[in-house]
Amino acid sequence: MRPDFYRTLLSPWPWLVLTVGAVMPLLLPNYYLHILTVTLIYAALASAWNIVGGIAGQISLAHSLFVGAGAMLSSALLVKLGVNMWLGMLAAAAVSAVIGALVSFIDYRFRLGHLSFALITLAFAEMAEIYVIGTDFLGGASGLFLPRDTGDITQFQFGGGRGAYWVMLGMTALCILVNLAILTSPLGYNLRSMRDNENAAQAIGVGLLRNKTLAMTISAVLTSIIGTIYARYLTFADPYLLASPVLTIEIVLFATVGGLGSAIGPALGAFLLAPVGEILRGQLGDKLPGLHYFIYGLVVIGVILASPGGVWSFIKSLGRRRS
Amino acid sequence: MSVGSINRRTFTVGAAALTAGAVASPYVRRAGAQGAPIRVGVINSMSGSLAAYSQEGHPAFVYLIDKINAEGGIKSMGGAKIELVMADDTSQPARTATEARRLITEEKVDLLTGSLLSAQMLAISPVLDELQQPCLSVWAGGSKSPFLYTLGYHYDRGYAKSMADFAVFLRDKKGFALKTFTPCYSNYEAGQQTNNFLVDRMKKAGFEVLGEAPLDTKAQDQTPAMIRIRSMKPDLVMGLVTPRDGILMHQARYNLAYHNSIFAGGTGGYSDLTLWRDLSPDIAKAVLTRNLFAMTGFSASANISGMQKIVTELRDVAKLKLIGQSAIQSAQAARVVQRVLEAAGSRDKKALLEGFKKLDIKFGDPDLYLSKPSGLKFADDRLLEDGSAMFVQWMENQSQQVIFPDQFANAQPRAKA
């Protein structure tokens, strides 16, 4: 780990942001706390995806598979077999890790290009959704309705809105921290060298399979855990939301708008766009049907045109100009 | 006072008064409880894959609510008017829950309603439980919250029982040679749930169940499912089919010229008026009027005076162009909202829940628009006690004849061709 990592960790800014974030549930009304919780979920998902998609440059569209595994498998184990959701979360994370490693192996074995990798991972995600919808144990198309959250932490219950928010705040911070740790470690250098030129990276001794597998496994495990928390928060594991490739598209959008490959960018993208989408729908949903989608699209286009390299790199360039 | 005479003091006083007025206005409005409108939150899917339900149903709902207001509002609350607060969930259940949260906590609605299909019902239930908010769903086939009542068909005693009863009726009373049965249903949550109950009921009724032919809800073509049906040669094909899957299924049946089985089922995929437009009249005539019977809760030709009157009113007075099952179901929901509010006599949540429990619109009541021989009443599971539906057959002029149950029938089922 380079000194950068510790310098960032010891800087007052992350701690200030975390402290402000931690007191938000005491200040925000119910609806806005919910929006912030959902935003944190997307920020964490975008950060977890960034390890593969941003740092390693492999546009994985399979991440709904890991969210789905975390959400549907842990919920099914709880609802159908009575398995504690903590154990379910670990089991789902293990399954996700294995699938992630398998995807990496296929990528390595067949030396897939970026486009082929994206398409193959999309196919995995589609197959996973079909499998979930057709499997009774996983709730089928109906999904799974979880027991009410009574705040029993031993049962993976966090006491509703505030508790879930704090858990997601911690999870988002963890995902950003993992990104930062990877970026400042040899793994990060290896992944970036592979992203920029895979053949050259291999020529200088970077182990493609090992690094790809490591990145995908870390990303898959984090994504799966977020999926379990998301299902617990919603109290309803909906396969059409949690196992749908559309979810991955949203994650990729947030990460891209925020800034691929940086530790903070993907989360920043989610913080910019997720609340905008929710609030636009709330304010314009009773007007012309679909108007909020149209305006949301305009906002996304505007942000991308204003900062083609991502909002985070735009902010950094502003900072450099001022200094 | 001219603009020029405004000094710092008058400006300060004026600004303070304006601010105080703005801050206090919600409280002032709510303090006048009798005169204040009753805020009803309406969550519909105005965009997205489920928009067809709401876009047809919403205008009828709004028309009825306007009519109720024009006729004096809710009399047990001193003539309070109903004010609708709309929201669009974009056909995504997670967003249904978010919009419910917004309407309850930000818009402070007194009652919640909306098209709310089963997946949306599942998503919204934890929010209703948490915020203890009474809600009426127009379509959900179940209720997972003690605060949610629904006009939708129960998967078992609604969809499955109606279909199984009809199959027995065809076989035992009308002499159709029906021994084997293939379930063919839209492979989504309501389709799957209904099918589980239907298969049980059909087996108990003595039908031999051949392999299943579920319809992939994402498919662009249902020919593979139809080929599978053709290979099994069942006497009867039956299940719950959405309008989109129904169009593709009938199209495949037309392309393969397959007419050896009786096709029966509900609801939108068999009985929706839009089938004629989307299939094109020639194809629709070839497949809908031959060996096909459709389950529906509404038919303009049914011998139900309330139903016929509301169809006429929606067509001639409200000038609605699309009057199908969603329009009638939503019109019925408006009347249920009115009755519940009248029975509650207050905005109190417990009183509203009591209002749901007291709902009793008897058969013959002009406010009963659905085909419910036992009237409209909620059972202990918060679904309608009477889950029965009608079966109709299409005519070449795009009209329908009711053939089941006998009580509402105006024709005999067409013989197999």
Side-chain angles (χ1 to χ4, degrees), chain B residues 122-277:
Chain B
L122 291 169
I124 203 178
S125 292
V127 179
L128 300 179
D129 286 348
E130 179 192 332
L131 301 170
Q132 306 200 334
Q133 173 65 49
C135 177
L136 173 70
S137 157
V138 176
W139 280 114
S143 169
K144 287 280 187 183
S145 165
F147 297 93
L148 188 139
Y149 287 76
T150 174
L151 297 177
Y153 291 99
H154 191 281
Y155 297 131
D156 186 19
R157 69 170 185 268
Y159 290 113
K161 183 174 185 300
S162 296
M163 287 188 220
D165 286 352
F166 178 66
V168 171
F169 163 81
L170 281 184
R171 183 190 63 188
D172 296 350
K173 289 194 173 172
K174 300 297 169 186
F176 280 62
L178 302 177
K179 286 181 185 167
T180 58
F181 151 67
T182 288
C184 175
Y185 56 93
S186 290
N187 198 12
Y188 74 124
E189 60 89 25
Q192 284 181 357
Q193 298 246 27
T194 298
N195 188 58
N196 292 338
F197 290 115
L198 179 61
V199 167
D200 279 351
R201 284 184 176 272
M202 293 297 276
K203 279 181 184 168
K204 281 179 192 158
F207 288 90
E208 181 192 347
V209 180
L210 305 177
E212 296 192 353
L215 303 172
D216 178 357
T217 54
K218 284 186 173 177
Q220 302 298 317
D221 177 13
Q222 298 294 358
T223 302
M226 194 52 63
I227 289 173
R228 184 166 163 73
I229 290 169
R230 190 175 66 176
S231 72
M232 289 187 277
K233 298 187 181 68
D235 298 325
L236 178 64
V237 178
M238 194 151 64
L240 180 62
V241 178
T242 64
R244 180 182 180 278
D245 294 340
I247 291 160
L248 297 174
M249 182 183 80
H250 300 311
Q251 178 76 54
R253 188 173 155 227
Y254 175 81
N255 292 342
L256 295 171
Y258 180 69
H259 301 292
N260 291 345
S261 304
I262 296 283
F263 284 76
T267 47
Y270 280 88
S271 63
D272 208 291
L273 298 171
T274 57
L275 291 175
W276 286 82
R277 182 194 66 199

Side-chain angles (χ1 to χ4, degrees), chain B residues 335-353:
Chain B
R335 286 300 184 191
V336 170
V337 166
Q338 178 192 18
R339 294 287 181 108
V340 167
L341 290 170
E342 288 286 10
S346 103
R347 294 170 169 82
D348 178 66
K349 312 279 186 199
K350 281 184 187 160
L352 289 168
L353 287 176

Side-chain angles (χ1 to χ4, degrees), chain B residues 33-98:
Chain B
Q34 286 302 311
I38 303 155
R39 287 168 70 78
V40 174
V42 186
I43 306 177
N44 278 328
S45 300
M46 298 307 287
S47 54
S49 58
L50 303 173
Y53 289 93
S54 299
Q55 288 185 355
E56 181 186 318
H58 187 61
F61 183 81
V62 172
Y63 168 76
L64 262 293
I65 293 294
D66 287 346
K67 184 177 173 181
I68 291 163
N69 284 338
E71 288 171 353
I74 303 302
K75 299 187 177 53
S76 69
M77 295 195 209
K81 302 285 188 283
I82 298 171
E83 180 189 350
L84 300 180
V85 186
M86 315 291 187
D88 176 14
D89 67 6
T90 68
S91 305
Q92 295 182 42
R95 289 179 173 161
T96 315
T98 303

Side-chain angles (χ1 to χ4, degrees), chain A residues 162-203:
Chain A
R162 287 182 180 177
Y165 171 86
W166 281 316
V167 168
M168 271 321 301
L169 182 68
M171 194 64 207
T172 307
L174 176 69
C175 289
I176 294 172
L177 199 66
V178 170
N179 271 266
L180 191 65
I182 290 174
L183 279 168
T184 54
S185 71
L187 175 62
Y189 294 123
N190 291 343
L191 293 178
R192 276 176 285 178
S193 67
M194 283 160 43
R195 177 187 65 193
D196 295 339
N197 190 328
E198 206 166 282
N199 291 331
Q202 195 174 25

Side-chain angles (χ1 to χ4, degrees), chain A residues 30 34 129 133 142 281-282, chain B residues 95 98 101-102 192 218:
Chain A
N30 189 303
H34 166 74
E129 187 189 16
I133 288 168
S142 307
R281 195 185 60 252
Chain B
R95 289 179 173 161
T98 303
R101 199 175 283 280
R102 181 177 70 81
Q192 284 181 357
K218 284 186 173 177

Side-chain angles (χ1 to χ4, degrees), chain A:
Chain A
M1 222 83 77
R2 283 196 341 176
D4 282 4
F5 176 76
Y6 298 106
R7 204 165 33 239
T8 309
L9 216 57
L10 293 174
S11 149
W13 291 107
W15 298 106
L16 184 66
V17 171
L18 211 55
T19 308
V20 170
V23 298
M24 291 312 272
L26 308 175
L27 306 172
L28 286 177
N30 189 303
Y31 168 62
Y32 291 101
L33 180 63
H34 166 74
I35 287 184
L36 204 52
T37 307
V38 172
T39 302
L40 283 171
I41 290 168
Y42 279 103
L45 287 171
S47 287
W49 180 86
N50 185 54
I51 297 167
V52 174
I55 303 175
Q58 294 178 291
I59 306 300
S60 163
L61 300 180
H63 271 55
S64 59
L65 192 164
F66 307 132
V67 180
M72 306 310 297
L73 183 57
S74 60
S75 300
L77 288 171
L78 171 68
V79 173
K80 300 284 173 78
L81 301 178
V83 175
N84 186 299
M85 210 160 177
W86 286 105
L87 291 176
M89 180 189 80
L90 294 177
V95 169
S96 297
V98 170
I99 297 171
L102 179 70
V103 171
S104 296
F105 177 75
I106 292 171
D107 177 31
Y108 169 77
R109 174 69 182 78
F110 297 98
R111 295 302 290 263
L112 300 173
H114 289 307
L115 182 59
S116 303
F117 181 77
L119 292 176
I120 284 202
T121 50
L122 179 62
F124 268 102
E126 287 283 356
M127 285 191 293
E129 187 189 16
I130 292 167
Y131 180 75
V132 170
I133 288 168
T135 306
D136 276 346
F137 177 72
L138 296 172
S142 307
L144 293 159
F145 199 75
L146 303 182
R148 202 171 165 191
D149 185 342
T150 56
D152 182 355
I153 197 89
T154 63
Q155 296 300 314
F156 204 80
Q157 296 173 4
F158 308 112
R162 287 182 180 177
Y165 171 86
W166 281 316
V167 168
M168 271 321 301
L169 182 68
M171 194 64 207
T172 307
L174 176 69
C175 289
I176 294 172
L177 199 66
V178 170
N179 271 266
L180 191 65
I182 290 174
L183 279 168
T184 54
S185 71
L187 175 62
Y189 294 123
N190 291 343
L191 293 178
R192 276 176 285 178
S193 67
M194 283 160 43
R195 177 187 65 193
D196 295 339
N197 190 328
E198 206 166 282
N199 291 331
Q202 195 174 25
I204 59 168
V206 173
L208 296 185
L209 179 61
R210 181 177 171 278
N211 285 291
K212 281 183 178 183
T213 306
L214 206 52
M216 184 60 102
T217 306
I218 294 169
S219 178
V221 167
L222 287 174
T223 305
S224 176
I225 292 171
I226 299 163
T228 307
I229 299 170
Y230 198 3
R232 178 62 271 180
Y233 174 62
L234 294 174
T235 317
F236 167 51
D238 177 10
Y240 292 105
L241 168 71
L242 299 166
S244 164
V246 175
L247 182 67
T248 313
I249 305 296
E250 284 187 280
I251 297 168
V252 175
L253 174 70
F254 295 154
T256 308
V257 166
L260 288 176
S262 64
I264 198 79
L268 189 63
F271 272 98
L272 279 176
L273 292 182
V276 169
E278 293 290 338
I279 290 168
L280 277 177
R281 195 185 60 252
Q283 298 306 315
L284 302 175
D286 59 340
K287 309 289 185 311
L288 194 63
L291 177 64
H292 56 283
Y293 275 139
F294 184 78
I295 294 176
Y296 182 73
L298 289 179
V299 171
V300 171
I301 292 169
V303 172
I304 291 174
L305 288 178
S307 51
V311 175
W312 181 239
S313 66
F314 178 69
I315 292 171
K316 280 199 298 185
S317 70
L318 283 182
R320 274 197 296 271
R321 252 182 261 167
R322 287 185 70 182
S323 62

